[in-house]
mmCIF file of all heavy atoms in Angstrom:
data_model
loop_
_atom_site.group_PDB
_atom_site.id
_atom_site.type_symbol
_atom_site.label_atom_id
_atom_site.label_comp_id
_atom_site.label_asym_id
_atom_site.label_seq_id
_atom_site.Cartn_x
_atom_site.Cartn_y
_atom_site.Cartn_z
ATOM 1 N N ILE A 1 -4.408 -9.895 -2.188
ATOM 2 C CA ILE A 1 -4.334 -8.937 -1.080
ATOM 3 C C ILE A 1 -2.868 -8.618 -0.822
ATOM 4 O O ILE A 1 -2.027 -9.516 -0.815
ATOM 5 C CB ILE A 1 -4.941 -9.541 0.208
ATOM 6 C CG1 ILE A 1 -6.353 -10.079 -0.048
ATOM 7 C CG2 ILE A 1 -4.940 -8.519 1.354
ATOM 8 C CD1 ILE A 1 -6.757 -11.191 0.902
ATOM 9 N N ILE A 2 -2.560 -7.352 -0.617
ATOM 10 C CA ILE A 2 -1.228 -6.969 -0.143
ATOM 11 C C ILE A 2 -1.392 -6.320 1.219
ATOM 12 O O ILE A 2 -2.161 -5.372 1.384
ATOM 13 C CB ILE A 2 -0.508 -6.011 -1.116
ATOM 14 C CG1 ILE A 2 -0.163 -6.743 -2.410
ATOM 15 C CG2 ILE A 2 0.774 -5.462 -0.467
ATOM 16 C CD1 ILE A 2 0.655 -5.921 -3.391
ATOM 17 N N GLU A 3 -0.670 -6.870 2.195
ATOM 18 C CA GLU A 3 -0.748 -6.388 3.579
ATOM 19 C C GLU A 3 0.515 -5.616 3.960
ATOM 20 O O GLU A 3 1.627 -6.009 3.613
ATOM 21 C CB GLU A 3 -0.899 -7.577 4.549
ATOM 22 C CG GLU A 3 -2.286 -8.171 4.602
ATOM 23 C CD GLU A 3 -3.247 -7.392 5.482
ATOM 24 O OE1 GLU A 3 -2.814 -6.446 6.167
ATOM 25 O OE2 GLU A 3 -4.437 -7.749 5.474
ATOM 26 N N THR A 4 0.324 -4.523 4.679
ATOM 27 C CA THR A 4 1.434 -3.817 5.320
ATOM 28 C C THR A 4 1.103 -3.749 6.813
ATOM 29 O O THR A 4 -0.049 -3.910 7.206
ATOM 30 C CB THR A 4 1.592 -2.384 4.775
ATOM 31 O OG1 THR A 4 0.446 -1.610 5.151
ATOM 32 C CG2 THR A 4 1.711 -2.389 3.259
ATOM 33 N N TYR A 5 2.129 -3.520 7.621
ATOM 34 C CA TYR A 5 1.856 -3.459 9.070
ATOM 35 C C TYR A 5 3.026 -2.866 9.828
ATOM 36 O O TYR A 5 4.087 -2.627 9.266
ATOM 37 C CB TYR A 5 1.508 -4.846 9.633
ATOM 38 C CG TYR A 5 2.244 -6.022 9.042
ATOM 39 C CD1 TYR A 5 3.577 -6.279 9.364
ATOM 40 C CD2 TYR A 5 1.610 -6.891 8.158
ATOM 41 C CE1 TYR A 5 4.249 -7.371 8.835
ATOM 42 C CE2 TYR A 5 2.282 -7.988 7.614
ATOM 43 C CZ TYR A 5 3.599 -8.218 7.961
ATOM 44 O OH TYR A 5 4.262 -9.296 7.433
ATOM 45 N N PHE A 6 2.787 -2.597 11.103
ATOM 46 C CA PHE A 6 3.760 -2.097 12.088
ATOM 47 C C PHE A 6 3.976 -0.585 12.065
ATOM 48 O O PHE A 6 4.667 -0.047 12.925
ATOM 49 C CB PHE A 6 5.130 -2.780 11.971
ATOM 50 C CG PHE A 6 5.088 -4.263 12.178
ATOM 51 C CD1 PHE A 6 5.887 -5.109 11.438
ATOM 52 C CD2 PHE A 6 4.243 -4.825 13.122
ATOM 53 C CE1 PHE A 6 5.863 -6.480 11.627
ATOM 54 C CE2 PHE A 6 4.205 -6.197 13.324
ATOM 55 C CZ PHE A 6 5.016 -7.020 12.577
ATOM 56 N N ALA A 7 3.435 0.116 11.087
ATOM 57 C CA ALA A 7 3.660 1.570 11.043
ATOM 58 C C ALA A 7 2.777 2.183 9.955
ATOM 59 O O ALA A 7 2.070 1.482 9.229
ATOM 60 C CB ALA A 7 5.131 1.878 10.773
ATOM 61 N N ASP A 8 2.862 3.507 9.859
ATOM 62 C CA ASP A 8 2.179 4.220 8.781
ATOM 63 C C ASP A 8 2.819 3.915 7.441
ATOM 64 O O ASP A 8 4.030 3.691 7.353
ATOM 65 C CB ASP A 8 2.261 5.737 9.021
ATOM 66 C CG ASP A 8 1.236 6.217 10.031
ATOM 67 O OD1 ASP A 8 0.030 6.000 9.798
ATOM 68 O OD2 ASP A 8 1.633 6.804 11.051
ATOM 69 N N VAL A 9 2.015 3.931 6.394
ATOM 70 C CA VAL A 9 2.525 3.840 5.028
ATOM 71 C C VAL A 9 2.695 5.264 4.511
ATOM 72 O O VAL A 9 1.734 6.030 4.494
ATOM 73 C CB VAL A 9 1.548 3.054 4.128
ATOM 74 C CG1 VAL A 9 2.034 3.045 2.683
ATOM 75 C CG2 VAL A 9 1.381 1.634 4.642
ATOM 76 N N PRO A 10 3.902 5.661 4.107
ATOM 77 C CA PRO A 10 4.103 7.007 3.572
ATOM 78 C C PRO A 10 3.220 7.265 2.347
ATOM 79 O O PRO A 10 2.817 6.324 1.650
ATOM 80 C CB PRO A 10 5.589 7.030 3.193
ATOM 81 C CG PRO A 10 6.209 5.980 4.059
ATOM 82 C CD PRO A 10 5.168 4.910 4.185
ATOM 83 N N GLN A 11 2.944 8.516 2.094
ATOM 84 C CA GLN A 11 1.990 8.884 1.046
ATOM 85 C C GLN A 11 2.349 8.332 -0.335
ATOM 86 O O GLN A 11 1.493 7.803 -1.041
ATOM 87 C CB GLN A 11 1.863 10.411 0.969
ATOM 88 C CG GLN A 11 0.777 10.877 0.010
ATOM 89 C CD GLN A 11 0.527 12.369 0.102
ATOM 90 O OE1 GLN A 11 1.311 13.104 0.684
ATOM 91 N NE2 GLN A 11 -0.574 12.815 -0.465
ATOM 92 N N GLU A 12 3.628 8.444 -0.729
ATOM 93 C CA GLU A 12 4.016 7.973 -2.060
ATOM 94 C C GLU A 12 3.876 6.461 -2.175
ATOM 95 O O GLU A 12 3.463 5.938 -3.219
ATOM 96 C CB GLU A 12 5.448 8.417 -2.388
ATOM 97 C CG GLU A 12 5.569 9.882 -2.745
ATOM 98 C CD GLU A 12 4.622 10.307 -3.855
ATOM 99 O OE1 GLU A 12 4.611 9.645 -4.923
ATOM 100 O OE2 GLU A 12 3.867 11.285 -3.666
ATOM 101 N N ALA A 13 4.231 5.740 -1.093
ATOM 102 C CA ALA A 13 4.079 4.286 -1.103
ATOM 103 C C ALA A 13 2.598 3.909 -1.158
ATOM 104 O O ALA A 13 2.219 2.946 -1.849
ATOM 105 C CB ALA A 13 4.732 3.679 0.132
ATOM 106 N N TYR A 14 1.759 4.665 -0.461
ATOM 107 C CA TYR A 14 0.309 4.429 -0.480
ATOM 108 C C TYR A 14 -0.228 4.579 -1.901
ATOM 109 O O TYR A 14 -1.004 3.754 -2.382
ATOM 110 C CB TYR A 14 -0.386 5.396 0.474
ATOM 111 C CG TYR A 14 -1.896 5.278 0.491
ATOM 112 C CD1 TYR A 14 -2.531 4.306 1.256
ATOM 113 C CD2 TYR A 14 -2.686 6.139 -0.268
ATOM 114 C CE1 TYR A 14 -3.912 4.187 1.260
ATOM 115 C CE2 TYR A 14 -4.069 6.038 -0.265
ATOM 116 C CZ TYR A 14 -4.680 5.060 0.499
ATOM 117 O OH TYR A 14 -6.051 4.952 0.491
ATOM 118 N N LYS A 15 0.198 5.637 -2.574
ATOM 119 C CA LYS A 15 -0.251 5.877 -3.955
ATOM 120 C C LYS A 15 0.187 4.751 -4.876
ATOM 121 O O LYS A 15 -0.593 4.262 -5.698
ATOM 122 C CB LYS A 15 0.325 7.207 -4.469
ATOM 123 C CG LYS A 15 -0.321 8.451 -3.898
ATOM 124 C CD LYS A 15 0.338 9.681 -4.517
ATOM 125 C CE LYS A 15 -0.210 10.967 -3.936
ATOM 126 N NZ LYS A 15 0.486 12.153 -4.492
ATOM 127 N N THR A 16 1.450 4.352 -4.734
ATOM 128 C CA THR A 16 1.977 3.276 -5.579
ATOM 129 C C THR A 16 1.241 1.973 -5.326
ATOM 130 O O THR A 16 0.833 1.273 -6.265
ATOM 131 C CB THR A 16 3.486 3.082 -5.314
ATOM 132 O OG1 THR A 16 4.173 4.313 -5.551
ATOM 133 C CG2 THR A 16 4.059 2.003 -6.209
ATOM 134 N N LEU A 17 1.040 1.644 -4.063
ATOM 135 C CA LEU A 17 0.371 0.398 -3.692
ATOM 136 C C LEU A 17 -1.060 0.355 -4.200
ATOM 137 O O LEU A 17 -1.480 -0.619 -4.833
ATOM 138 C CB LEU A 17 0.400 0.229 -2.168
ATOM 139 C CG LEU A 17 -0.391 -0.929 -1.568
ATOM 140 C CD1 LEU A 17 0.081 -2.257 -2.134
ATOM 141 C CD2 LEU A 17 -0.275 -0.914 -0.044
ATOM 142 N N THR A 18 -1.819 1.390 -3.921
ATOM 143 C CA THR A 18 -3.251 1.364 -4.246
ATOM 144 C C THR A 18 -3.532 1.554 -5.735
ATOM 145 O O THR A 18 -4.685 1.470 -6.161
ATOM 146 C CB THR A 18 -4.016 2.428 -3.432
ATOM 147 O OG1 THR A 18 -3.409 3.712 -3.625
ATOM 148 C CG2 THR A 18 -4.021 2.076 -1.952
ATOM 149 N N SER A 19 -2.486 1.778 -6.524
ATOM 150 C CA SER A 19 -2.688 1.916 -7.971
ATOM 151 C C SER A 19 -2.410 0.614 -8.722
ATOM 152 O O SER A 19 -2.543 0.568 -9.946
ATOM 153 C CB SER A 19 -1.786 3.029 -8.525
ATOM 154 O OG SER A 19 -0.419 2.666 -8.404
ATOM 155 N N LEU A 20 -2.045 -0.458 -7.994
ATOM 156 C CA LEU A 20 -1.718 -1.729 -8.651
ATOM 157 C C LEU A 20 -2.974 -2.390 -9.224
ATOM 158 O O LEU A 20 -3.958 -2.602 -8.519
ATOM 159 C CB LEU A 20 -1.047 -2.685 -7.656
ATOM 160 C CG LEU A 20 0.311 -2.258 -7.091
ATOM 161 C CD1 LEU A 20 0.800 -3.292 -6.080
ATOM 162 C CD2 LEU A 20 1.337 -2.071 -8.201
ATOM 163 N N ASN A 21 -2.913 -2.747 -10.490
ATOM 164 C CA ASN A 21 -4.071 -3.348 -11.163
ATOM 165 C C ASN A 21 -4.343 -4.770 -10.700
ATOM 166 O O ASN A 21 -5.500 -5.188 -10.609
ATOM 167 C CB ASN A 21 -3.846 -3.351 -12.683
ATOM 168 C CG ASN A 21 -3.856 -1.965 -13.268
ATOM 169 O OD1 ASN A 21 -4.574 -1.097 -12.796
ATOM 170 N ND2 ASN A 21 -3.051 -1.746 -14.301
ATOM 171 N N ALA A 22 -3.285 -5.525 -10.414
ATOM 172 C CA ALA A 22 -3.454 -6.951 -10.117
ATOM 173 C C ALA A 22 -3.992 -7.209 -8.719
ATOM 174 O O ALA A 22 -4.344 -8.335 -8.381
ATOM 175 C CB ALA A 22 -2.115 -7.670 -10.286
ATOM 176 N N VAL A 23 -4.048 -6.156 -7.888
ATOM 177 C CA VAL A 23 -4.394 -6.319 -6.471
ATOM 178 C C VAL A 23 -5.830 -5.859 -6.232
ATOM 179 O O VAL A 23 -6.226 -4.779 -6.675
ATOM 180 C CB VAL A 23 -3.416 -5.530 -5.578
ATOM 181 C CG1 VAL A 23 -3.749 -5.730 -4.110
ATOM 182 C CG2 VAL A 23 -1.984 -5.957 -5.868
ATOM 183 N N SER A 24 -6.593 -6.690 -5.518
ATOM 184 C CA SER A 24 -7.996 -6.342 -5.273
ATOM 185 C C SER A 24 -8.270 -5.925 -3.842
ATOM 186 O O SER A 24 -9.356 -5.450 -3.525
ATOM 187 C CB SER A 24 -8.895 -7.528 -5.644
ATOM 188 O OG SER A 24 -8.363 -8.742 -5.171
#
């Protein structure tokens, strides 16, 4: 699991994060 918090995740960071293969 990768957690972010305290604010919005910008669109490019969201795309990069949710495309990670190792993360479920």
Side-chain angles (χ1 to χ4, degrees):
I1 307 154
I2 292 185
E3 283 279 353
T4 66
Y5 36 75
F6 300 143
D8 280 302
V9 176
Q11 186 171 14
E12 285 307 308
Y14 178 82
K15 286 181 183 177
T16 303
L17 173 58
T18 54
S19 66
L20 296 178
N21 292 327
V23 182
S24 44

